[in-house]
Amino acid sequence: DAGVIQSPRHEVTEMGQEVTLRCKPISGHDYLFWYRQTMMRGLELLIYFNNNVPIDDSGMPEDRFSAKMPNASFSTLKIQPSEPRDSAVYFCASSFGHAEAFFGQGTRLTVV
Amino acid sequence: KNEVEQSPQNLTAQEGEFITINCSYSVGISALHWLQQHPGGGIVSLFMLSSGKKKHGRLIATINIQEKHSSLHITASHPRDSAVYICAVKSKGNNDMRFGAGTRLTVKP
């Protein structure tokens, strides 16, 4: 398996634009996590899914953020409209049950 | 106070030294993870443990559930061990991770 695949690896966008981050989890994993990493706050959980169903979205900062998992092999994290304070590295991870999670390479988002 | 506290925040060592990174947590957990993040950003899971001790090559991780404390040890450190090491815990009843701030390790040749 190629591991968790995230795209794009880098994204630069202007404030106010919509941004969509994509994730393909490891095949067979039933949990998918979205994390955000910033210098100020470190790694934070945004939302996680179990069997494509959102379980905990308490980490989603505000209504500008939304995440979907339409099937077991794909998830998106959307920010609309984007703001400079959303600049961060966004990681997707997946796991089988409560076993260790495998991380994607991350998407570095810069909002100017 | 953060749920997960790591120390030290930064650590510089000479090649060959024995290194210890500490993690304390304040919640009941089902498992504790040690992660490694290299420059360039990729995150790799080193250990997941819920009791006792695990060893992988030069890396050893221990956990004391009663004291809510874990340590990551690196024996015979090498410059390629230079990275940020992150402690993360999974609370009982949840499957999400809460993270420490990380320890930035630099091993000089």
Side-chain angles (χ1 to χ4, degrees):
Chain A
D1 200 313
V4 177
I5 299 172
Q6 289 187 245
S7 64
R9 289 292 309 276
H10 302 272
E11 177 81 36
V12 180
T13 191
E14 290 186 345
M15 184 173 68
Q17 296 297 306
E18 178 180 293
V19 176
T20 300
L21 311 181
R22 296 173 175 80
C23 176
K24 182 180 187 306
I26 291 174
S27 177
H29 282 190
D30 55 346
Y31 280 88
L32 183 140
F33 309 85
W34 281 102
Y35 296 100
R36 179 172 68 175
Q37 186 178 38
T38 61
M39 289 291 292
M40 291 296 295
R41 299 172 68 92
L43 273 162
E44 304 172 283
L45 174 73
L46 298 175
I47 184 171
Y48 78 94
F49 296 83
N50 178 215
N51 292 322
N52 314 337
V53 176
I55 301 301
D56 182 353
D57 65 354
S58 58
M60 295 286 263
E62 47 198 272
D63 291 346
R64 297 183 297 106
F65 285 67
S66 62
K68 294 182 179 180
M69 193 165 185
N71 58 63
S73 59
F74 184 66
S75 177
T76 59
L77 178 68
K78 187 176 292 187
I79 308 172
Q80 166 65 17
S82 57
E83 296 182 3
R85 61 193 167 118
D86 302 329
S87 298
V89 181
Y90 291 80
F91 286 98
C92 176
S94 71
S95 71
F96 179 69
H98 289 224
E100 66 176 316
F102 292 82
F103 287 77
Q105 287 297 301
T107 295
R108 182 174 296 275
L109 173 65
T110 303
V111 183
V112 297
Chain B
K1 190 177 190 296
N2 291 336
E3 290 176 323
V4 184
E5 297 276 356
Q6 280 186 243
S7 63
Q9 193 172 356
N10 292 287
L11 179 58
T12 300
Q14 286 297 131
E15 183 173 355
E17 286 185 3
F18 180 85
I19 287 161
T20 296
I21 300 170
N22 296 299
C23 176
S24 297
Y25 53 91
S26 58
V27 296
I29 67 168
S30 59
L32 183 143
H33 296 248
W34 281 102
L35 309 172
Q36 181 191 56
Q37 186 171 27
H38 274 286
I43 296 176
V44 174
S45 177
L46 297 175
F47 294 103
M48 183 179 80
L49 64 166
S50 54
S51 66
K53 174 174 151 178
K54 286 190 176 181
K55 185 176 189 292
H56 185 256
R58 295 180 294 106
L59 301 176
I60 303 167
T62 64
I63 188 168
N64 184 318
I65 296 294
Q66 286 73 31
E67 294 186 3
K68 295 186 175 175
H69 181 268
S70 175
S71 293
L72 176 68
H73 306 285
I74 305 175
T75 60
S77 59
H78 190 277
R80 64 174 175 268
D81 298 326
S82 298
V84 175
Y85 292 84
I86 302 168
C87 173
V89 300
K90 283 192 180 180
S91 302
K92 286 183 179 176
N94 294 313
N95 198 22
D96 60 300
M97 281 192 279
R98 308 290 173 175
F99 299 90
T103 295
R104 183 174 299 277
L105 170 66
T106 303
V107 181
K108 295 185 175 180

